[in-house]
Amino acid sequence: MKKILDFTVKENRRLNADNFLLVLHSIELPEIQAGQFVNVRVDHSPSTFLRRPISVHDVDKKQGLLYLLVKIAGKGTEKLSTLKPGEQLNIILPLGNCFSQPEQGRCLLVGGGVGIAPLLHLSKELSDKGLHPVVLIGTRTVKDIILKEEYEKYATVYYTTEDGSYGEKGYPTQHTILTEQFDHIFCCGPEPMMKAVARYAYSKHIDCEVSLENTMACGIGACLCCVNDTKEGHKCVCTDGPVFNINDLKWQI
């Protein structure tokens, strides 16, 4: 059930030049599943008219904490990066669907850029079910690696960097871990990377889900700006997604 809640900022931690982590509190925090997102109202930003969709990074239901990993991409997210502890943030949540939850099998989670955000919550959920996942993260350089220790709490983590400064040099689909057997792949990040992962999964007959990052304004399927073409027709990413099985998309893979 969707709610509109005012959260209190507990922490705003700058991770590097581009990314920050918001830790928010509400005593009414609803159940949120890995892959879902929230729509955040940006106050005191005259040029920001629409709410900003942000993936759920992590949840601590017992303490009423919501974690949002945010990349500064414009005036709205730049304003959010200046929030201070004690300030309020109005949020609509939870929105969208979620990643599926396999009961067995080996799971590979692939993320690039800020697309790594929903993979922490998913790693935790899979770990709680006894399915210790493998997480593969691609970045440009070692300076872009963030929250490494958090992912390592729930998964075995590998990295690729484009310049070879950490992990294996190249892109995630070039990592040697892909020579091993996996039963499920979950992916989020830049579309070219997701399509490359989808091609790999399709060639190996591996079940694969991707989280799309189409531009979303309303979050409830009213504005139609996030429509994506699927094999079952046009669907709103904010309501029918953001998670889709690659077999349902019209990607040339």
Side-chain angles (χ1 to χ4, degrees):
M1 182 178 178
K2 299 179 183 64
K3 293 187 176 184
I4 302 178
L5 300 174
D6 286 322
F7 282 77
T8 301
V9 178
K10 301 292 287 185
E11 182 181 0
N12 186 350
R13 189 194 321 166
R14 197 61 174 259
L15 302 173
N16 56 24
D18 299 321
N19 299 281
F20 59 98
L21 180 69
L22 283 175
V23 184
L24 310 168
H25 177 263
S26 172
I27 59 173
E28 301 179 66
L29 183 67
E31 291 290 338
I32 305 172
Q33 296 177 300
Q36 292 186 298
F37 69 99
V38 303
N39 244 14
V40 178
R41 190 179 72 201
V42 184
D43 296 327
H44 311 299
S45 179
S47 62
T48 308
F49 301 104
L50 302 173
R51 289 176 180 262
R52 291 297 183 261
I54 301 174
S55 297
V56 173
H57 180 57
D58 198 8
V59 176
D60 187 331
K61 190 68 169 63
K62 291 183 178 179
Q63 297 191 61
L65 297 178
L66 172 68
Y67 297 77
L68 302 179
L69 174 58
V70 188
K71 179 178 181 179
I72 299 175
K75 295 293 185 181
T77 47
E78 184 177 12
K79 181 62 180 178
L80 293 177
S81 73
T82 67
L83 288 171
K84 295 179 172 55
E87 293 188 304
Q88 300 291 300
L89 195 60
N90 186 267
I91 296 177
I92 302 175
L93 78 167
L95 298 173
N97 66 354
C98 60
F99 290 108
S100 63
Q101 293 285 323
E103 296 299 323
Q104 58 185 2
R106 195 169 186 223
C107 299
L108 174 66
L109 285 53
V110 186
V114 79
I116 69 172
L119 301 186
L120 181 65
H121 192 190
L122 180 58
S123 294
K124 182 187 292 187
E125 289 189 346
L126 293 172
S127 180
D128 287 344
K129 296 176 66 173
L131 301 176
H132 186 76
V134 172
V135 172
L136 175 57
I137 295 174
T139 68
R140 289 170 297 180
T141 175
V142 65
K143 295 179 181 179
D144 297 315
I145 294 176
I146 54 177
L147 300 171
K148 179 174 179 288
E149 296 79 10
E150 294 301 310
Y151 289 90
E152 290 175 340
K153 291 178 182 178
Y154 311 105
T156 302
V157 186
Y158 297 92
Y159 287 90
T160 62
T161 50
E162 294 178 24
D163 64 357
S165 55
Y166 190 84
E168 295 188 14
K169 184 176 182 179
Y171 301 105
T173 50
Q174 299 171 319
H175 198 284
T176 53
I177 192 66
L178 295 185
T179 61
E180 299 184 13
Q181 178 63 43
F182 292 95
D183 302 290
H184 310 279
I185 297 179
F186 305 95
C187 182
C188 186
E191 186 170 296
M193 185 206 76
M194 290 195 292
K195 287 184 174 179
V197 171
R199 283 192 291 270
Y200 165 80
Y202 188 80
S203 70
K204 299 294 184 180
H205 307 288
I206 303 173
D207 182 64
C208 180
E209 294 178 351
V210 295
S211 180
L212 303 186
E213 296 184 327
N214 293 36
T215 300
M216 293 181 278
C218 70
I220 57 174
C223 67
L224 303 180
C225 72
C226 66
V227 168
N228 197 73
D229 195 14
T230 74
K231 293 179 180 178
E232 295 183 352
H234 291 89
K235 292 187 175 182
C236 289
V237 171
C238 67
T239 52
D240 297 301
V243 179
F244 290 89
N245 191 289
I246 60 170
N247 293 321
D248 296 330
L249 297 173
K250 285 188 173 181
W251 283 359
Q252 299 299 315
I253 57 176

Coordinates of all heavy atoms in Angstrom, one line a residue, residues 4 38 66 105 127 129 132 138 163-164 172 175 179 183 196-198 208 216 232 246:
I4 N 2.2 8.5 1.6 CA 2.9 9.7 1.5 C 3.4 10.1 3.0 O 2.5 10.3 3.8 CB 2.1 10.8 0.9 CG1 1.5 10.4 -0.4 CG2 2.9 12.1 0.8 CD1 0.6 11.5 -1.1
V38 N 11.2 5.0 -4.6 CA 10.4 6.0 -3.9 C 10.4 7.3 -4.8 O 11.3 7.5 -5.6 CB 11.0 6.4 -2.5 CG1 11.0 5.1 -1.6 CG2 12.4 7.0 -2.6
L66 N 15.2 4.2 6.3 CA 15.2 4.0 4.8 C 16.5 4.6 4.3 O 16.9 5.7 4.7 CB 14.0 4.8 4.2 CG 14.0 4.9 2.7 CD1 13.8 3.5 2.0 CD2 12.9 5.9 2.3
G105 N 19.2 -22.0 -6.2 CA 20.1 -21.6 -7.3 C 21.1 -20.6 -7.0 O 21.0 -19.9 -5.9
S127 N 20.5 -13.3 1.0 CA 21.3 -13.8 2.1 C 20.4 -14.3 3.2 O 20.7 -15.4 3.8 CB 22.3 -12.8 2.6 OG 23.1 -13.3 3.6
K129 N 17.7 -15.7 3.0 CA 17.0 -16.9 2.5 C 18.0 -18.0 2.4 O 17.7 -19.1 2.0 CB 16.3 -16.7 1.2 CG 15.2 -15.7 1.3 CD 14.6 -15.5 -0.1 CE 13.9 -16.7 -0.7 NZ 13.2 -16.5 -1.9
H132 N 23.6 -17.2 -0.7 CA 24.7 -16.2 -0.7 C 25.0 -15.8 -2.1 O 25.5 -16.5 -2.9 CB 25.9 -16.9 0.0 CG 27.0 -15.9 0.2 ND1 27.0 -15.0 1.2 CD2 28.2 -15.7 -0.5 CE1 28.1 -14.2 1.1 NE2 28.8 -14.7 0.1
G138 N 30.7 -2.8 -11.8 CA 31.6 -2.1 -12.8 C 31.6 -0.6 -12.5 O 30.6 0.0 -12.3
D163 N 39.7 1.4 -16.2 CA 41.2 1.7 -16.3 C 42.1 0.6 -15.6 O 43.3 0.8 -15.6 CB 41.5 3.1 -15.7 CG 41.2 3.2 -14.2 OD1 40.7 2.2 -13.6 OD2 41.5 4.2 -13.6
G164 N 41.4 -0.4 -15.0 CA 42.2 -1.5 -14.4 C 42.8 -1.1 -13.0 O 43.7 -1.8 -12.5
P172 N 31.8 -5.3 -16.8 CA 31.3 -6.5 -16.1 C 31.2 -7.7 -16.9 O 31.5 -8.8 -16.4 CB 30.0 -6.0 -15.5 CG 30.2 -4.5 -15.3 CD 31.0 -4.1 -16.5
H175 N 34.3 -10.0 -17.0 CA 34.9 -10.5 -15.8 C 34.9 -12.0 -15.9 O 34.0 -12.7 -16.3 CB 34.1 -10.1 -14.6 CG 34.9 -10.2 -13.3 ND1 35.1 -11.4 -12.7 CD2 35.5 -9.3 -12.5 CE1 35.8 -11.2 -11.6 NE2 36.1 -9.9 -11.5
T179 N 32.6 -17.1 -16.2 CA 32.9 -18.5 -16.7 C 32.3 -19.5 -15.7 O 32.3 -20.7 -16.1 CB 34.4 -18.7 -16.8 OG1 35.0 -18.5 -15.5 CG2 35.1 -17.7 -17.7
D183 N 22.4 -19.5 -12.0 CA 21.0 -19.8 -12.3 C 20.1 -18.6 -12.5 O 19.1 -18.6 -13.2 CB 20.4 -20.7 -11.2 CG 21.2 -22.0 -11.0 OD1 21.2 -22.8 -11.9 OD2 21.9 -22.1 -10.0
A196 N 24.1 -5.8 -22.5 CA 25.3 -6.7 -22.6 C 25.1 -7.9 -21.7 O 25.3 -9.0 -22.0 CB 26.6 -6.0 -22.4
V197 N 24.6 -7.6 -20.5 CA 24.4 -8.6 -19.5 C 23.2 -9.5 -20.0 O 23.2 -10.7 -19.9 CB 24.0 -8.0 -18.1 CG1 23.6 -9.1 -17.1 CG2 25.3 -7.4 -17.5
A198 N 22.2 -8.9 -20.6 CA 21.0 -9.6 -21.1 C 21.5 -10.6 -22.2 O 21.0 -11.7 -22.3 CB 20.0 -8.7 -21.6
C208 N 17.0 -13.9 -16.2 CA 17.6 -12.6 -16.0 C 16.5 -11.6 -15.9 O 15.6 -11.5 -16.7 CB 18.6 -12.3 -17.1 SG 19.4 -10.7 -17.0
M216 N 11.1 9.0 -14.9 CA 9.8 8.8 -14.3 C 9.5 10.1 -13.5 O 10.3 10.6 -12.7 CB 9.8 7.6 -13.3 CG 10.0 6.3 -14.0 SD 10.0 4.9 -12.9 CE 11.7 4.9 -12.3
E232 N 4.4 -7.4 -24.7 CA 2.9 -7.3 -24.5 C 2.4 -5.9 -24.6 O 1.3 -5.6 -24.1 CB 2.7 -7.8 -23.0 CG 3.0 -9.3 -22.8 CD 2.7 -9.7 -21.4 OE1 2.3 -8.9 -20.6 OE2 2.8 -10.9 -21.2
I246 N 14.1 -10.1 -19.0 CA 14.6 -9.8 -20.3 C 13.8 -10.4 -21.4 O 13.7 -9.9 -22.6 CB 16.1 -10.1 -20.5 CG1 16.3 -11.6 -20.3 CG2 16.9 -9.3 -19.5 CD1 17.7 -12.1 -20.7

